Amino acid sequence: MFEAAELGHTVARAAFNRIVPKLRSDLLDAQYRLKENGTFPVIILISGVRGAGKGETVNLLNEWMDPRHILTRAFDTPSDEERDRPAMWRYWRALPPKGRIGILFGSWYTAPIIDRVFRTTRRSDLLQSIEEINRFERMLADEGALILKFWFHLSKEAQRKRLEALRSDPETRWRVTKRDRDFFEKYDRFYRISEETLRATSTADAPWIVVEGADPPYRSLTVGKALLGAMKKRLDAPAVRGRPVSKTAPIVHPIDRRDVLSELDLSRALTEKAYKKELRAWQGRLNLLARDAKFPRLSVALAFEGMDASGKGSTIRRVTASLDARTYNVVPVAAPTDEERAQPYLWRFWRNLPRKGRVTIYDRTWYGRVLVERIEGFCSEADWMRAYAEINDFEEQLERANIVVCKFWLQISREEQLRRFEARERMRFKRFKITPEDWRNRKKWDLYQSAAADMIERTSTGSAPWTLVEANDKKFARVKVLRTICKRIERALDEL
Amino acid sequence: MFEAAELGHTVARAAFNRIVPKLRSDLLDAQYRLKENGTFPVIILISGVRGAGKGETVNLLNEWMDPRHILTRAFDTPSDEERDRPAMWRYWRALPPKGRIGILFGSWYTAPIIDRVFRTTRRSDLLQSIEEINRFERMLADEGALILKFWFHLSKEAQRKRLEALRSDPETRWRVTKRDRDFFEKYDRFYRISEETLRATSTADAPWIVVEGADPPYRSLTVGKALLGAMKKRLDAPAVRGRPVSKTAPIVHPIDRRDVLSELDLSRALTEKAYKKELRAWQGRLNLLARDAKFPRLSVALAFEGMDASGKGSTIRRVTASLDARTYNVVPVAAPTDEERAQPYLWRFWRNLPRKGRVTIYDRTWYGRVLVERIEGFCSEADWMRAYAEINDFEEQLERANIVVCKFWLQISREEQLRRFEARERMRFKRFKITPEDWRNRKKWDLYQSAAADMIERTSTGSAPWTLVEANDKKFARVKVLRTICKRIERALDEL
């Protein structure tokens, strides 16, 4: 993979000077077309060996284009807010919105490669990271992002020369650190591991572009032209996001109309007396768990889904009642804001992830993609189809960062929903008014049920299983939810 | 101020139980009306002595209302991202958007009072903090926020009893910390200082409500009823933000038509040769300054304003060209996003403040309020009139946090603007197209000039002076801007 980047490519300074003015104005033009077009972001990854001109190139891109519409982010030591969350959180928060260019200096490749070079991880860890990166980048591409990954390479000889040159000039000597020397000693190992990583992550959606870093004019032109070419190609292409949207998602009903939801025994109920006793017991237990000495080492994400009027809000209130308000945050998921719409679908959920020792409660969740968005045709079939895998990846990352993920589907019968709608209409409070939309959704009951059954089947994983809650009786439902949360947190605390 | 909260107020449990159901449902109703109304946020501050039921009350409010629409934030140790910015940054990022309730547990009062109690600050510091807080809260109120400040008080005797009770019960003993004992020892001093602070910050916009904390039913009802009363009063009032908007702001032209801008000598220019030399010299100097060993201890905020086509963008590019792209961030200020519109005007600028060692460049700024928003009538006269003082407060906070604030007004003549507009129209690049809006703004040249002169006069402070840049000659302008930035950073580094 690196052979072609050790050929000693050069471009004469005169040729460079001749080519650059046109390249710059073309790049600037493409950048403005991107801004006006506004339908996709450009994500540029800058990686590679030390001393191969990465920093210089980042500066040059900012000089050639309009820096007002470029977001450059460098990733060194994570902040404490970043350390408290899954490793990818810092990259999610740095993603450029649609219409802008984001330059990520250092990226999700840095840690997997470096950790393996210095043997703090095993080979299997690297392979797992590679697979996750591929899925992450495919998601970005599916969300419309144009991804350019540049790897700056220097042959061992070229790197030695460059370090020596830096060292011998008093003006630049400060730039050669102990870390540079450590890296150089590991050159061969770094070469092998990064080559393997690049090969395995050079996909159709996000191919690597290896750039020989020794000659500044050569590497600058290579990057500039590759960027220009990719942007123009994309901008000139007919609208990529215009995949046909299937207004009626092809939901297959099981022939016998039986699924995980229809099999639930909705007659399950608690007496008032049993409810009071159980509720108090589990609320007390949850309260104690959240004050456990080890609790600050994990976080909790609670996800609530269910048909309208299935009791999500009142159940959430029974959960929050047992927690200290300083430790939780409830996120009601409604229409996305415009900042959220300019990002990949999962971005709005990533931004609300809890810090260590905290609880985030999502009232409706990322599963909206495969429920309401699927049924109502708010996204294309391709979009919701890929969401299952994306969601599994997302939740796996949460689990790995010691976030306990509990997902609840509150199931009521169609008759019970009608009863609750009618009761709400009779209530004097305006807040309980039933909207025409509620009635419309109700008409699509079967579609929603099938989509939910589908979702549960595809996303109930070992680490983040769905808990199906028989919710015709609110008392039973609340206790089941509380008990599940307690048990899951207990297990997680035991495993710490 | 605290006498009335030492009377031993109580409410019988039976009466409490009788009153609460109605209070809860009224609060819930008010909360939903707030959400539907969506024109203002409710900010609840919870402060006071330790052990007076603050935490319990926060939890109760979350239990009584719908926790999905309450943002509760507790402030203990700042994160490193917070420590890197002005002290108020953490509060700005925690402000609830319009339509929601924010409960701030601990607030901008905590540090000024505690620091003074433990004598880490002087009396004059406390007085200054008080003044700043009053201005900050007035701004919040002017932006529409409903502010409720609760102070939970316990008499010395009541506090002693409560601590003893906690200590004697093995279930609660853990809650009494060394810090509690330290505080109790300083009770009298804490009493005096907080009383003085409360008295001085109990304003018409944001009065304090002192709550006797000894009796849970009493304190809960007091808080609940005060909150309900304030919300209902505000929700029932005719739209508060409906102040008359003066479409043509009353701008007074100086009789002799001379002002700071008209006095500028726009013929100032540099030869191509001098420009090249100076540009290189100042760019090099800026580059070195940003790599100074002490630079990571300060931050830089550069603010660019000027008429259309005055050369802001190209000047900014000359500045960024001398910096490492990893250290700066350019913020092009256009129409606010919907998340920004749901917050006070300055919020969008606070959110982009640089961390230590970083530079934020604002292309158009918070001064939009007293320029385009004033001229075009996008905000009321009262709004832009108060903006001058708010902006001065804002910039003073930046200065105090070691942020070097450089503000540039790029001045061109009306003829020069016409020349540049026409040149742009002749250029082939779409990005330079002149919009009808540009021509419309041009017609209001005199209004903009007067508003700018007004602004410069009112907001050029010792620590954040305006630099007026004669910009008919772009070369001259760029060098002046670079030189100013260098000198300001040099002075700041010297003073560290």
Side-chain angles (χ1 to χ4, degrees):
Chain A
M1 189 124 195
F2 296 144
E3 297 77 4
E6 297 195 349
L7 298 175
H9 291 287
T10 54
V11 167
R13 188 50 76 168
F16 179 77
N17 290 340
R18 207 170 49 241
I19 297 168
V20 162
K22 170 92 166 67
L23 177 61
R24 283 182 74 156
S25 83
D26 286 352
L27 275 170
L28 207 49
D29 206 40
Q31 191 189 10
Y32 276 81
R33 282 178 66 198
L34 170 73
K35 184 166 170 281
E36 277 156 33
N37 170 303
T39 60
F40 67 94
V42 177
I43 302 173
I44 302 174
L45 265 47
I46 302 287
S47 313
V49 307
R50 296 169 83 88
K54 298 198 293 285
E56 290 86 339
T57 307
V58 170
N59 285 326
L60 200 68
L61 289 175
N62 273 280
E63 204 184 311
W64 280 355
M65 293 184 285
D66 190 333
R68 293 178 294 180
H69 307 298
I70 299 177
L71 294 169
T72 303
R73 291 283 179 272
F75 300 95
D76 36 39
T77 321
S79 73
D80 52 14
E81 297 190 19
E82 289 170 343
R83 270 193 304 274
D84 257 6
R85 294 182 171 94
M88 289 301 289
W89 191 75
R90 59 194 317 224
Y91 303 112
W92 275 90
R93 74 194 292 220
L95 290 178
K98 287 168 186 164
R100 293 187 79 174
I101 296 174
I103 300 181
L104 306 191
F105 191 159
S107 66
W108 40 87
Y109 286 97
T110 314
I113 292 177
I114 302 296
D115 289 348
R116 185 66 196 127
V117 169
F118 289 95
R119 294 180 202 277
T120 57
T121 51
R122 279 172 306 183
R123 191 173 146 70
S124 59
D125 295 322
L126 177 64
L127 295 179
Q128 199 193 337
S129 296
I130 286 174
E131 219 182 295
E132 285 164 10
I133 286 174
N134 279 338
R135 290 203 300 268
F136 175 66
E137 291 180 354
R138 191 181 324 126
M139 179 278 298
L140 290 178
D142 283 337
E143 290 277 347
L146 174 61
I147 307 167
L148 285 135
K149 304 190 293 195
F150 293 103
W151 184 271
F152 288 73
H153 180 75
L154 282 183
S155 68
K156 195 168 185 177
E157 189 48 31
Q159 190 169 33
R160 189 201 319 277
K161 275 191 190 148
R162 191 174 158 105
L163 287 175
E164 267 164 25
L166 284 170
R167 219 160 1 196
S168 63
D169 181 345
E171 284 275 297
T172 56
R173 189 181 299 146
W174 62 275
R175 293 179 57 186
V176 183
T177 61
K178 175 168 181 311
R179 189 123 177 109
D180 283 305
R181 292 190 296 273
D182 290 349
F183 265 85
F184 187 64
E185 269 171 34
K186 299 236 181 265
Y187 183 94
D188 294 332
R189 186 168 166 79
F190 184 81
Y191 184 106
R192 254 193 345 269
I193 290 169
S194 41
E195 184 174 48
E196 179 184 359
T197 305
L198 265 62
R199 221 180 269 289
T201 54
S202 211
T203 60
D205 291 327
W208 277 101
I209 302 160
V210 178
V211 183
E212 181 165 354
D215 181 61
Y218 173 79
R219 72 174 182 234
S220 306
L221 283 188
T222 304
V223 172
K225 289 194 157 185
L227 174 59
L228 177 64
M231 285 177 71
K232 276 174 78 171
K233 188 172 159 206
R234 180 63 178 278
L235 287 164
D236 292 339
V240 190
R241 305 288 298 159
R243 277 174 285 195
V245 174
S246 70
K247 279 289 170 194
T248 51
I251 292 176
V252 181
H253 297 280
I255 298 172
D256 60 0
R257 304 190 67 85
R258 289 174 59 188
D259 59 33
V260 286
L261 296 178
S262 69
E263 296 303 285
L264 290 174
D265 176 4
L266 297 184
S267 70
R268 298 186 75 172
L270 282 182
T271 63
E272 189 64 29
K273 198 178 148 197
Y275 171 62
K276 278 198 172 150
K277 192 174 145 241
E278 295 267 313
L279 182 73
R280 190 162 51 201
W282 291 110
Q283 283 188 329
R285 194 146 153 191
L286 180 54
N287 184 271
L288 280 175
L289 286 169
R291 292 199 267 121
D292 189 284
K294 288 197 288 182
F295 192 81
R297 288 165 55 198
L298 49 79
S299 337
V300 179
L302 306 177
F304 285 86
E305 286 289 355
M307 303 295 286
D308 291 334
S310 58
K312 294 185 293 297
S314 68
T315 304
I316 288 171
R317 280 202 295 283
R318 298 315 181 286
V319 175
T320 55
S322 26
L323 296 170
D324 188 319
R326 282 165 283 192
T327 64
Y328 67 80
N329 179 26
V330 189
V331 180
V333 175
T337 67
D338 49 15
E339 293 183 36
E340 289 168 344
R341 263 190 296 269
Q343 294 283 0
Y345 176 70
L346 286 171
W347 189 82
R348 56 197 299 225
F349 306 103
W350 272 95
R351 79 193 293 212
N352 283 307
L353 283 184
R355 294 189 69 164
K356 288 266 180 288
R358 306 292 177 91
V359 180
T360 296
I361 301 171
Y362 295 92
D363 180 7
R364 298 204 184 274
T365 68
W366 42 96
Y367 286 99
R369 193 74 157 187
V370 295
L371 294 170
V372 57
E373 295 197 33
R374 167 183 178 174
I375 304 293
E376 308 296 337
F378 295 159
C379 67
S380 72
E381 186 172 344
D383 284 338
W384 64 258
M385 283 297 285
R386 68 182 161 83
Y388 296 117
E390 289 168 8
I391 287 172
N392 285 338
D393 284 344
F394 171 54
E395 293 175 357
E396 205 181 306
Q397 289 183 69
L398 305 193
E399 284 290 318
R400 227 178 312 136
N402 283 342
I403 303 181
V404 180
V405 182
C406 302
K407 308 183 295 196
F408 298 101
W409 175 267
L410 273 57
Q411 177 67 14
I412 51 174
S413 65
R414 204 167 169 174
E415 299 70 40
E416 178 63 20
Q417 189 190 48
L418 181 62
R419 219 184 50 71
R420 293 184 187 180
F421 274 17
E422 286 170 352
R424 285 187 179 183
E425 283 192 327
R426 282 192 307 271
M427 289 193 76
R428 67 183 179 90
F429 294 127
K430 197 178 165 193
R431 65 176 174 279
F432 280 136
K433 80 169 175 243
I434 297 289
T435 64
E437 201 190 324
D438 292 321
W439 290 108
R440 266 200 305 280
N441 290 343
R442 184 173 156 75
K443 286 206 185 113
K444 298 184 182 161
W445 180 275
D446 287 338
L447 288 175
Y448 273 99
Q449 288 290 297
S450 303
D454 215 16
M455 159 192 96
I456 289 159
E457 201 173 304
R458 290 170 194 262
T459 59
S460 212
T461 61
S463 57
W466 275 100
T467 301
L468 307 184
V469 183
E470 300 84 348
N472 266 11
D473 179 61
K474 287 190 173 184
K475 302 189 291 297
F476 179 86
R478 292 168 190 168
V479 168
K480 183 168 183 179
V481 165
L482 276 161
R483 186 175 56 227
T484 305
I485 297 170
C486 287
K487 300 267 185 197
R488 294 288 312 284
I489 295 178
E490 273 165 14
R491 205 193 315 152
L493 288 171
D494 279 348
E495 284 168 7
L496 275 180
Chain B
M1 191 126 194
F2 296 144
E3 298 77 4
E6 297 194 349
L7 297 175
H9 292 288
T10 55
V11 167
R13 187 51 75 171
F16 179 76
N17 289 341
R18 208 170 47 240
I19 297 168
V20 161
K22 170 91 166 65
L23 177 62
R24 283 181 72 156
S25 83
D26 287 352
L27 274 171
L28 207 48
D29 206 41
Q31 190 189 9
Y32 276 81
R33 283 178 65 198
L34 170 73
K35 184 167 169 278
E36 277 155 33
N37 170 302
T39 60
F40 66 95
V42 177
I43 302 173
I44 301 174
L45 302 193
I46 302 288
S47 312
V49 307
R50 295 169 84 87
K54 299 197 293 285
E56 290 86 338
T57 307
V58 170
N59 286 326
L60 200 68
L61 290 176
N62 272 279
E63 204 184 310
W64 282 355
M65 293 184 285
D66 190 332
R68 292 177 293 179
H69 307 297
I70 299 177
L71 295 169
T72 302
R73 291 284 179 273
F75 300 95
D76 36 39
T77 321
S79 73
D80 52 13
E81 298 191 18
E82 290 170 342
R83 270 193 303 274
D84 258 6
R85 293 179 171 96
M88 288 301 289
W89 191 75
R90 59 194 316 224
Y91 302 112
W92 274 91
R93 74 194 292 220
L95 290 179
K98 288 169 186 164
R100 293 187 80 175
I101 296 174
I103 300 180
L104 307 191
F105 191 158
S107 66
W108 40 87
Y109 286 96
T110 314
I113 292 176
I114 302 297
D115 289 349
R116 184 67 196 127
V117 169
F118 289 95
R119 295 179 202 277
T120 57
T121 51
R122 279 171 306 183
R123 192 174 144 71
S124 58
D125 295 321
L126 177 63
L127 295 179
Q128 198 193 337
S129 295
I130 286 173
E131 220 182 293
E132 285 165 10
I133 286 173
N134 279 338
R135 290 202 300 268
F136 175 65
E137 291 180 354
R138 192 181 322 126
M139 178 279 296
L140 290 178
D142 283 338
E143 290 278 346
L146 174 61
I147 307 167
L148 285 134
K149 304 190 293 195
F150 292 104
W151 184 272
F152 288 73
H153 180 74
L154 283 183
S155 68
K156 194 167 185 179
E157 190 47 33
Q159 191 168 32
R160 188 200 321 276
K161 275 192 192 148
R162 192 174 158 106
L163 287 174
E164 267 165 24
L166 285 172
R167 221 160 1 198
S168 63
D169 181 345
E171 284 275 299
T172 56
R173 190 180 297 146
W174 62 274
R175 292 179 57 186
V176 183
T177 61
K178 177 170 181 310
R179 190 125 176 105
D180 283 304
R181 292 190 296 273
D182 290 349
F183 265 85
F184 188 63
E185 268 170 35
K186 298 235 182 267
Y187 183 93
D188 295 333
R189 186 169 166 77
F190 183 81
Y191 184 106
R192 256 194 341 272
I193 290 169
S194 40
E195 185 174 48
E196 179 184 0
T197 306
L198 264 61
R199 222 180 266 290
T201 55
S202 211
T203 59
D205 292 327
W208 277 102
I209 302 161
V210 178
V211 183
E212 182 165 352
D215 181 60
Y218 173 81
R219 73 174 181 234
S220 307
L221 282 188
T222 305
V223 172
K225 288 193 158 187
L227 175 59
L228 177 63
M231 285 177 70
K232 275 174 77 171
K233 190 173 158 205
R234 180 63 178 277
L235 286 164
D236 292 338
V240 191
R241 306 287 297 158
R243 278 174 284 196
V245 175
S246 70
K247 280 289 170 192
T248 50
I251 292 175
V252 182
H253 297 280
I255 298 171
D256 60 0
R257 304 189 68 85
R258 289 175 57 191
D259 58 33
V260 285
L261 297 178
S262 70
E263 296 303 285
L264 290 174
D265 176 4
L266 296 184
S267 70
R268 298 186 73 173
L270 282 182
T271 63
E272 189 64 28
K273 196 179 152 199
Y275 170 63
K276 278 198 171 150
K277 192 173 147 243
E278 294 269 312
L279 182 73
R280 191 161 50 202
W282 290 110
Q283 284 188 329
R285 194 144 153 192
L286 179 54
N287 184 271
L288 279 176
L289 286 169
R291 292 199 267 121
D292 188 284
K294 289 197 287 181
F295 191 81
R297 287 165 55 198
L298 49 78
S299 337
V300 179
L302 306 178
F304 285 87
E305 287 288 355
M307 304 294 286
D308 292 334
S310 59
K312 294 185 292 298
S314 68
T315 305
I316 288 171
R317 280 202 294 283
R318 298 317 182 284
V319 175
T320 56
S322 23
L323 296 170
D324 187 318
R326 281 165 284 192
T327 64
Y328 67 79
N329 179 25
V330 189
V331 179
V333 175
T337 67
D338 49 15
E339 293 183 36
E340 289 168 343
R341 263 190 296 269
Q343 294 282 0
Y345 176 71
L346 285 171
W347 189 83
R348 56 198 300 226
F349 306 104
W350 272 95
R351 78 193 293 211
N352 284 307
L353 283 184
R355 294 190 69 165
K356 289 266 180 287
R358 307 291 177 90
V359 181
T360 297
I361 301 170
Y362 296 92
D363 180 8
R364 298 204 184 275
T365 68
W366 42 96
Y367 286 99
R369 192 74 158 188
V370 296
L371 294 170
V372 58
E373 295 197 33
R374 168 183 178 173
I375 305 292
E376 307 296 339
F378 294 160
C379 66
S380 72
E381 185 172 344
D383 284 338
W384 63 258
M385 283 297 285
R386 67 183 162 84
Y388 297 118
E390 289 168 8
I391 287 171
N392 285 338
D393 284 343
F394 171 55
E395 293 176 357
E396 205 182 305
Q397 290 184 68
L398 304 193
E399 284 291 317
R400 223 175 319 134
N402 282 343
I403 302 182
V404 180
V405 182
C406 302
K407 307 183 295 197
F408 297 102
W409 175 267
L410 272 58
Q411 177 67 15
I412 51 174
S413 65
R414 204 167 169 173
E415 299 70 39
E416 178 64 18
Q417 190 190 48
L418 181 63
R419 218 183 51 70
R420 292 185 188 180
F421 274 15
E422 287 171 351
R424 284 187 181 184
E425 284 192 326
R426 283 193 305 272
M427 289 193 75
R428 67 183 179 90
F429 293 128
K430 197 178 164 194
R431 65 177 175 279
F432 280 136
K433 79 168 176 244
I434 296 289
T435 64
E437 201 190 323
D438 292 320
W439 289 109
R440 265 200 306 280
N441 290 344
R442 184 173 155 76
K443 286 205 184 114
K444 298 184 182 162
W445 180 275
D446 287 339
L447 287 174
Y448 273 99
Q449 289 290 295
S450 302
D454 215 16
M455 160 192 96
I456 289 159
E457 201 174 303
R458 291 170 192 263
T459 59
S460 212
T461 60
S463 57
W466 274 100
T467 301
L468 307 184
V469 182
E470 301 83 348
N472 266 11
D473 179 62
K474 286 191 173 186
K475 302 190 290 297
F476 179 86
R478 291 169 190 168
V479 168
K480 183 169 183 178
V481 165
L482 276 161
R483 186 175 57 227
T484 305
I485 297 170
C486 287
K487 299 268 184 195
R488 294 288 312 283
I489 295 177
E490 272 165 15
R491 205 194 317 153
L493 287 171
D494 280 348
E495 284 168 6
L496 275 180

